[in-house]
Amino acid sequence: MSTTWHVLGAGSLGTLWATRLARAGLPVKLILRDAARLQAYQATGGLTLVEQGEARVYAVPGETFDSSGPIKRLLVACKAYDAQTAVAQLASRLTPDAELVLLQNGLGSQEAVAAQVPQARCIFASSTEGAFRDGDWRVVFAGHGYTWLGDASHPVAPFWLDDLSTAGIPHEWTPDILTRLWRKLALNCAINPLTVLHDCRNGGLQQHHCEVATLCAELTELLEQCGQPAAAQDLQQEVERVIHATAANYSSMYQDVANQRRTEISYLLGHACAVASRHQLVLPHLAQLQQRLIAHLHTRGLPSD
Ligand code: NAP
């Protein structure tokens, strides 16, 4: 009998994972924030995944935090700023050998979650898959990609990666998950805040080459000083490549701000600046970028944490 996948957060990535696991015949349960959300979900009849224009409903069972029953495997699929509080509500249900997969972007939330559940194994993930909600309980699979998983303190891969293969979730186990997360964070810091401040698509940053280059130099220094030299390699070249390859796209932070949604700034640029100050590194352009972004978020009435 397979272990049940408890999925915390029925948003874009949570739905993308839950529906693929369920359609492969694996046991999945959704954990929703309260009885009202559970009732709303049950009235809908399931999660809808839209793939290549075709919508299919998957009747994944739902429950709330207060449901009884142990949790052995938990996929944490909420935003970085919600992860710690959401996992805390479940801590008493985790078995002594529980394993958590943390899908959050950026850095900082994973350590906060892990500190809260010291008995559990926390596996960090970094995904290039793309999905968005186009309605309640309805998600569009927008971009195929890959999910890297790893555990910086324990290099052996868990046996249940087979479930991901069965479910057709492209993935790879890596001993260098922190390098991947830092690299993605650095790319995000060099691109996303500037797209918000210059009100442009990624390609618009080609007009701000010097600003991007200065940020890349400071980010490279940060990565080298904080023990992530591999994540620093040829950073500027990759940032320029990404700007070019995704020129027509709006960054995730741009979309969050445009839609009046809270950003994950504290776990991206905020985390970079916090680590710089912990290492007593003076990175004036990065610090100034953070101040400009915070001021911008305030003018839009959005939280800056
Ligand atoms: P999302 O669509 O906003 O989904 C987050 C879900 O978490 C929501 O359904 C929300 O519930 C739920 N949630 C929050 N607090 C909760 C709580 N206390 N109890 C139960 N549920 C709770 O976010 P997402 O886009 O999937 O992103 C999740 C993470 O993956 C982020 O860190 C993001 O950066 C990262 N990521 C996303 C993508 C992507 O393409 N979407 C790609 C790569 C990485 P409600 O519906 O009730 O608000």
Side-chain angles (χ1 to χ4, degrees):
M1 177 68 184
S2 302
T3 299
T4 298
W5 283 85
H6 283 87
V7 177
L8 175 56
S12 308
L13 276 200
T15 298
L16 190 56
W17 280 62
T19 50
R20 288 180 295 179
L21 290 164
R23 95 173 147 205
L26 295 160
V28 186
K29 272 188 189 164
L30 285 179
I31 301 174
L32 304 172
R33 62 169 79 237
D34 54 31
R37 285 297 277 161
L38 179 60
Q39 208 177 7
Y41 172 65
Q42 286 169 339
T44 313
L47 294 174
T48 301
L49 181 66
V50 183
E51 269 181 293
Q52 286 155 359
E54 209 170 295
R56 274 192 65 182
V57 181
Y58 299 86
V60 178
E63 62 179 40
T64 59
F65 289 92
D66 341 313
S67 304
S68 55
I71 297 175
K72 196 168 152 54
R73 192 173 305 145
L74 180 67
L75 181 74
V76 183
C78 23
K79 287 278 170 65
Y81 47 75
D82 283 326
Q84 195 180 353
T85 317
V87 170
Q89 288 178 275
L90 286 175
S92 63
R93 290 178 60 190
L94 295 177
T95 61
D97 58 348
E99 290 177 296
L100 276 62
V101 180
L102 308 178
L103 284 178
Q104 287 60 50
N105 206 357
L107 279 159
S109 72
Q110 300 90 340
E111 279 177 15
V113 168
Q116 221 160 24
V117 289
Q119 80 279 23
R121 182 181 191 193
C122 286
I123 288 163
F124 297 5
S126 177
S127 183
T128 59
E129 292 196 306
F132 64 88
R133 295 201 259 189
D134 75 342
D136 229 6
W137 319 114
R138 192 182 146 98
V139 164
V140 179
F141 193 175
H144 288 264
Y146 232 79
T147 301
W148 282 269
L149 301 129
D151 175 352
S153 57
H154 188 55
V156 178
F159 69 89
W160 47 256
L161 289 184
D162 286 352
D163 279 8
L164 306 191
S165 306
T166 308
I169 298 174
H171 66 280
E172 197 172 307
W173 181 257
T174 170
D176 298 323
I177 190 68
L178 287 177
T179 303
R180 287 209 170 265
L181 284 163
W182 267 112
R183 180 73 162 191
K184 194 171 175 202
L185 182 148
L187 286 163
N188 186 299
C189 289
I191 297 172
N192 294 23
L194 286 180
T195 63
V196 173
L197 294 170
H198 292 301
D199 190 16
C200 66
R201 296 174 197 260
N202 291 355
L205 298 185
Q206 283 157 346
Q207 316 304 317
H208 301 278
H209 177 82
C210 287
E211 208 174 1
V212 172
T214 309
L215 287 175
C216 287
E218 291 192 357
L219 286 161
T220 299
E221 192 182 341
L222 171 65
L223 293 169
E224 283 168 351
Q225 293 296 317
C226 75
Q228 294 296 332
Q233 267 180 14
D234 303 324
L235 179 66
Q236 188 184 337
Q237 267 164 277
E238 188 166 357
V239 166
E240 281 168 7
R241 189 192 61 74
V242 171
I243 288 173
H244 185 73
T246 62
N249 298 358
Y250 286 111
S251 73
S252 54
M253 190 178 273
Y254 182 100
Q255 292 178 46
D256 282 341
V257 174
N259 292 301
Q260 283 296 114
R261 287 190 302 248
R262 183 175 173 183
T263 68
E264 294 184 300
I265 174 179
S266 293
Y267 304 89
L268 297 159
L269 183 56
H271 186 78
C273 290
V275 172
S277 106
R278 226 180 289 151
H279 282 80
Q280 297 178 333
L281 271 178
V282 181
L283 303 175
H285 295 88
L286 211 57
Q288 197 196 44
L289 182 69
Q290 186 188 27
Q291 291 318 311
R292 285 164 65 200
L293 185 60
I294 287 173
H296 183 85
L297 294 174
H298 286 164
T299 63
R300 301 286 304 241
L302 286 168
S304 58
D305 61 348

